[in-house]
Amino acid sequence: MRVLVADDDLTSRRILEVILTKWGHEPTVVADGPAAALALEQPDPPRLVLLDWNMPGLLGPEVCLRIRKRETDNPPYLILLTARGEKGDVVQGLDAGANDYISKPYDLEELRARLQVGARMLELQAEIVRGRDALAFQAAHDPLTGLLNRRAVLEALDREVARAERERSALSIGVCDLDHFKKVNDAYGHPAGDEVLSAFARTALAGTRPYDSVGRHGGEEFLLIAPGTSGKPDDGVYERLREAAAATAVTTSAGVISFTVSIGVAGTWSGASATDLLAAADAALYRAKADGRNRVRYA
């Protein structure tokens, strides 16, 4: 594990560097408080930290206070090294945000044990963050396609409509519906139909920009949100998606399946709500279906 050592005494730094390396850690050493704070404020800093109490520039507890003010999902585990043994000093260090302390001169076995405790706490913390992120992803994504689910994509639409209104910028959406999808399910079975849905999701994602949003609106219907586009034929975004879908052949356990998609497109206007935009795109989708499917129609 990467360990930051902050100590103004050269001999102490060298001893700790050798010991930590021997124990399998990757030490980074600095000689004063400001350097320690700077190292911990970098992207991907060491998360296990040994801080001497008395250092030039910033004391160990002052470094703790500074670091604890930063918002992060993965705060470092801070251990103060101090010759101060009074209870009030220990309390001061812990109140400043230190997780633990070791009195100087320290016993090497005690130091090793406390580092192991810190490493276990950091791993537990990381597991909690990973679990939280996994739950958040599941709550916002469709389990079949991996796209945003209906709730999440509609929330994204609300945000983009508000942004477009605030910044007076262009925004369009496309409601995409796979043509004759019921026939696919009837002819090939629902597992094959699921593979077709997943294939379209991959096709849609492949053609989007990092700031576009794609979600499963329900069943075989998908929603593409494209900031910066006008919702007119010269955009080309939606026609390219239609062409890509029509060129896709999905190899399933039931055979090779081709499919097409109809898309209804609407661009926002002053005062339009997300509901207004969806209604306009739905009306355009209805025209695309009525005109023979496998086409794009614009509101």
Short mmCIF file of all heavy atoms in Angstrom, two decimals, residues 93 206 286:
data_model
loop_
_atom_site.label_atom_id
_atom_site.label_comp_id
_atom_site.label_asym_id
_atom_site.label_seq_id
_atom_site.Cartn_x
_atom_site.Cartn_y
_atom_site.Cartn_z
N GLY A 93 -5.25 15.91 18.94
CA GLY A 93 -4.92 15.30 17.65
C GLY A 93 -6.09 14.56 17.04
O GLY A 93 -6.35 14.67 15.84
N ALA A 206 -22.96 3.57 -29.34
CA ALA A 206 -21.79 3.73 -30.21
C ALA A 206 -21.86 5.02 -31.02
O ALA A 206 -20.82 5.58 -31.39
CB ALA A 206 -21.67 2.54 -31.15
N TYR A 286 -45.28 8.78 -34.28
CA TYR A 286 -46.53 8.24 -34.83
C TYR A 286 -46.56 8.43 -36.35
O TYR A 286 -46.96 7.53 -37.09
CB TYR A 286 -47.72 8.93 -34.19
CG TYR A 286 -49.05 8.42 -34.67
CD1 TYR A 286 -49.61 7.26 -34.15
CD2 TYR A 286 -49.76 9.11 -35.67
CE1 TYR A 286 -50.84 6.78 -34.61
CE2 TYR A 286 -50.99 8.65 -36.13
CZ TYR A 286 -51.51 7.48 -35.59
OH TYR A 286 -52.72 7.01 -36.06
#
